[in-house]
Amino acid sequence: MAPCDFFLFPRLKLPLRGKHFETIEAIKENSQKELKAIPKSAYKKCFEDWKTRWHMCIACDGDYFEGNKINIDE
């Protein structure tokens, strides 16, 4: 359920895939550049979706679920 796993890491990995960096500093600079390129609205949607998943998890009593077919209003 962690946003880093389903939102942040894929957004960082795709643009950096296949690139080789000479220094740790170059890795940091390029990673920060990619992070800053993600619109604020995408972060906001990520956390709104995360909140929805919390409610789905609660509605399922912590059991496994897939998709958005769970009615969290019940």
Side-chain angles (χ1 to χ4, degrees), residues 16-34:
L16 298 176
R17 179 176 287 159
K19 295 182 181 178
H20 298 279
F21 302 101
E22 297 295 321
T23 64
I24 298 293
E25 194 58 40
I27 295 170
K28 289 178 184 178
E29 287 173 16
N30 282 278
S31 297
Q32 286 178 351
K33 180 180 132 195
E34 294 302 331

Side-chain angles (χ1 to χ4, degrees), residues 4-5 10 17 20-22 36 41 43-44 49 52-53 63 68:
C4 289
D5 292 338
R17 179 176 287 159
H20 298 279
F21 302 101
E22 297 295 321
K36 290 177 182 178
S41 59
Y43 285 103
K44 182 178 183 201
D49 292 347
T52 299
R53 278 191 298 282
D63 290 337
N68 295 328

Side-chain angles (χ1 to χ4, degrees), residues 1 3 12 26 32 46 48-50 52 54 71-72:
M1 286 189 50
L12 280 175
Q32 286 178 351
C46 168
E48 288 169 357
D49 292 347
W50 191 30
T52 299
W54 292 344
N71 185 356
I72 59 175

Side-chain angles (χ1 to χ4, degrees), residues 54-67:
W54 292 344
H55 292 289
M56 285 190 227
C57 188
I58 292 166
C60 291
D61 293 324
D63 290 337
Y64 177 80
F65 63 89
E66 257 186 70

